[in-house]
Amino acid sequence: MAARVVASRRSFLGHSYNLVGVIAALVILTWTLIAIFAPYIIPHSIGDIVDDDYFGPIRQGLWLGSDYLGRDMLSRVLMGARYTVGISLAAVVIACFSGVVLGMIAAVTGGWLDTCLSRFLDAMNSIPSKLFGLVVVAAVGSSIPVLILTLAVIYTPGAYRFARALAVNINTMDFMTVARVRGESIIYLIGSEILPNIIRPVLADFGLRFVFIVLLLSGLSFLGLGLQPPLADWGALVRENIGGLPFAAPAVIVPSLAIASLTISVNLLIDNLPNKIRDRDA
Amino acid sequence: MTSGVLNLVLKRLAIAVVTLLIVLFAVFFATSMLPGDTASILLGQAATPEAVAGLREAMHLNDPAILRFLLWLVGLLHGDLGTSYANNMPVAALIGGRLLNTMELAGITTLLSVPLALMLGITAAMLRGSFYDRTVTILSIGIISVPEFMVATLAVLLFAVYLRWLPALSSVNEAHSLTDILRIYAMPVITLTFVISAQMIRMTRAAVIETLSTPYVEMALLKGASRSRMVLKHALPNALGPIVNAVALSLSYLVGGVIIVETIFNYPGIAKLMVDAVATRDLPLIQSCAMIFCLGYLLLITAADIIAIMSNPRLR
């Protein structure tokens, strides 16, 4: 087992990578590029009806068939990448930034601030994520900023818990005591002493949280509570084309595969990161 | 059980109660943030201002939010869940039968997935690194990595479209014979079992592998105990706590799972009721459904924590 792993690893930039990890990284890179450049590469406008038939099969000119209104599926999936990747990325950045900063502050400060924050965020964590999404959408309606903020709020407690647990360990180190005695400010303590020591596991956690957010966003959109038409992310594409399921139309299969390719790639990339980066106790 | 464990368990229960209060508070305020005046929505456009004012008074809408929250809580304690805005029926009557349907779905799924997942998880851990282990691991990672609705659509494609064994929709009212019932529950249960089992397999496998790497298991190995004896006599009794913990935690995924599965298969349960209530903005119904889900979720994760505390021999 060990020999096989060693043989399949390649050295690059001081770290060794294995093949699965490299392929996963390429898939993620591809979707990211598509998300950025989608408006310039789509063959048809996403609203144009280009096929006389609905749920058309794959054929020349319509590489992924047509949807329930006869629109070009390839263009819609490429544009869907923009929303799924974009919204999830924005949400995960907000969630991890606020979670990690609060977690480090709680660990360094301790006392009542730590207790209150931990209690409150643990309570937030006890609300099932889909339910939270449902209630918020019922209350304020669904728009891109609301979705980003809701997803960020749902996944902040997890990021907080993770970062706090790591930061508490670092906080007991001698160099932290020295820095405190020097009279350093809390911003210096968390930014220059703690963060560099927990950044690698935090980045791995960032990836996992991104997957959770993509799954939740797709789930909400699938329920009709995410992006509203005419915009459509991958979850919404599956929803609007679910009528094609009995004929196994590409319009319902392709967006599903798109979601799976993204989430499985991120999972595989994290699983195959060099141990140095992945190890939680850095 | 010593007082130390008892204290920890009581502390955990107290935290659960506080959490429940915070959650109820959050649900209440999220739903009362809805734009629009409830009284004028209820009475329609033809209502006189006096009628609206009267109804506002009667519904305590003029009171401060905190007072309304307390009134709502007192009502809950009396079993009064309020009246649905959409069809003017008591929420309790709307929920009753639906809750039973959801419990049936969750119950059948639990009965199926727990033995299946434990068997796969434990055997995968015993045969760690083998082809069998890698297949089980990859399949469970695959299921965890995709949204629940995709597992459901794949199940429909396989069983209803290609094999034509099962209908794609369920309607409990049409159940007349045993085969009907089997056909109605099959799709939702299969989908949920996949989702829940995948989580459970991963956690069970991790728990057993962790126990297998402890010094006393190594000792048993050095002593010359057979592999099965090592697992069954030495590792499993000690891994029991973490495994039950994993089971309870995985079952909490049922909460998210039923929301998707009931919607897809049109299953008349409480999650479908709630998704419909969100569409019609029926506040009392949303509040009550959300509360039931949070309660179930909280019960499961609290149970998981308490089992973890009780099974830790260092605390005993």
Side-chain angles (χ1 to χ4, degrees), chain B:
Chain B
M1 200 195 295
T2 61
S3 61
V5 176
L6 199 65
N7 271 342
L8 278 175
V9 170
L10 287 179
K11 207 172 147 194
R12 188 63 192 82
L13 283 177
I15 291 175
V17 172
V18 173
T19 309
L20 183 64
L21 276 178
I22 298 180
V23 169
L24 286 181
F25 201 70
V27 167
F28 183 84
F29 277 93
T31 41
S32 47
M33 265 161 50
L34 261 169
D37 179 46
T38 316
S40 40
I41 292 173
L42 277 181
L43 290 173
Q45 291 193 337
T48 58
E50 292 80 21
V52 172
L55 187 66
R56 284 189 66 88
E57 193 62 44
M59 290 178 73
H60 301 285
L61 285 178
N62 294 325
D63 297 339
I66 187 80
L67 202 68
R68 279 188 290 140
F69 176 63
L70 290 177
L71 276 174
W72 184 59
L73 267 191
V74 172
L76 281 186
L77 291 176
H78 287 103
D80 173 21
L81 296 174
T83 310
S84 159
Y85 290 169
N87 47 16
N88 239 339
M89 276 170 66
V91 171
L94 282 173
I95 287 180
R98 295 277 195 133
L99 182 59
L100 211 65
N101 284 343
T102 300
M103 298 292 269
E104 269 169 27
L105 184 61
I108 299 174
T109 308
T110 310
L111 285 181
L112 269 178
S113 57
V114 171
L116 178 79
L118 289 189
M119 196 191 73
L120 288 174
I122 293 172
T123 46
M126 282 169 70
L127 303 170
R128 190 181 178 186
S130 68
F131 177 72
Y132 169 74
D133 174 35
R134 265 182 283 157
T135 316
V136 170
T137 310
I138 289 175
L139 279 181
S140 52
I141 291 184
I143 294 178
I144 289 173
S145 306
V146 301
E148 290 101 340
F149 67 77
M150 204 175 139
V151 179
T153 35
L154 285 179
V156 170
L157 270 184
L158 184 64
F159 294 111
V161 179
Y162 287 126
L163 298 173
R164 296 183 181 283
W165 288 350
L166 301 164
L169 295 176
S170 24
S171 163
V172 173
N173 298 331
E174 287 167 20
H176 298 302
S177 64
L178 190 66
T179 40
D180 278 352
I181 293 173
L182 216 64
R183 286 163 61 88
I184 286 162
Y185 284 112
M187 279 313 237
V189 168
I190 289 174
T191 309
L192 272 179
T193 305
F194 272 125
V195 175
I196 304 296
S197 302
Q199 293 284 352
M200 225 182 279
I201 289 170
R202 270 176 72 81
M203 292 196 217
T204 312
R205 181 177 170 276
V208 174
I209 282 180
E210 203 181 306
T211 325
L212 281 176
S213 64
T214 49
Y216 58 82
V217 174
E218 202 178 339
M219 182 65 211
L221 183 73
L222 292 173
K223 207 170 69 180
S226 70
R227 200 169 172 82
S228 60
R229 188 183 159 78
M230 194 173 86
V231 171
L232 295 177
K233 291 289 266 186
H234 295 269
L236 264 193
N238 285 299
L240 211 57
I243 289 177
V244 180
N245 177 30
V247 168
L249 269 187
S250 317
L251 288 180
S252 70
Y253 283 85
L254 270 173
V255 174
V258 288
I259 294 181
I260 300 282
V261 166
E262 288 188 0
T263 313
I264 293 186
F265 296 112
N266 214 6
Y267 182 91
I270 184 171
K272 180 87 176 71
L273 188 68
M274 180 164 172
V275 174
D276 293 344
V278 170
T280 56
R281 301 204 149 185
D282 190 344
L283 281 194
L285 197 52
I286 300 174
Q287 282 170 349
S288 303
C289 294
M291 196 190 63
I292 291 172
F293 276 116
C294 287
L295 195 65
Y297 188 73
L298 203 60
L299 274 179
L300 282 168
I301 54 177
T302 309
D305 277 3
I306 289 179
I307 291 162
I309 293 173
M310 305 241 286
S311 65
N312 187 343
R314 261 167 250 147
L315 296 173
R316 225 180 276 152

Side-chain angles (χ1 to χ4, degrees), chain A residues 83-246:
Chain A
Y83 300 114
T84 297
V85 177
I87 293 177
S88 306
L89 207 58
V92 76
V93 166
I94 299 175
C96 282
F97 179 78
S98 43
V100 170
V101 169
L102 286 176
M104 289 192 299
I105 291 178
V108 171
T109 322
W112 63 268
L113 180 73
D114 184 20
T115 315
C116 288
L117 262 180
S118 298
R119 263 306 139 267
F120 177 69
L121 290 172
D122 273 354
M124 294 281 295
N125 226 358
S126 305
I127 305 179
S129 51
K130 278 203 194 64
L131 198 82
F132 194 106
L134 276 177
V135 171
V136 171
V137 169
V140 288
S142 187
S143 62
I144 291 183
V146 168
L147 276 175
I148 292 177
L149 274 181
T150 311
L151 293 167
V153 168
I154 291 174
Y155 286 100
T156 301
Y160 166 84
R161 221 177 185 181
F162 186 73
R164 185 184 164 277
L166 291 168
V168 161
N169 286 338
I170 305 292
N171 197 33
T172 56
M173 301 276 184
D174 287 340
F175 62 79
M176 285 299 293
T177 319
V178 173
R180 268 180 228 275
V181 172
R182 280 205 309 267
E184 301 288 4
S185 70
I186 187 158
I187 296 172
Y188 176 86
L189 285 179
I190 65 171
S192 303
E193 301 283 2
I194 296 207
L195 189 61
N197 284 300
I198 64 170
I199 188 72
R200 287 166 172 174
V202 160
L203 283 179
D205 180 63
F206 178 90
L208 283 182
R209 228 155 278 284
F210 176 73
V211 171
F212 295 150
I213 290 182
V214 170
L215 294 183
L216 182 58
L217 172 67
S218 309
L220 283 178
S221 289
F222 181 79
L223 290 175
L225 302 167
L227 273 188
Q228 299 301 315
L231 307 181
D233 66 336
W234 290 337
L237 285 177
V238 177
R239 173 192 169 82
E240 58 184 31
N241 293 310
I242 198 80
L245 194 58

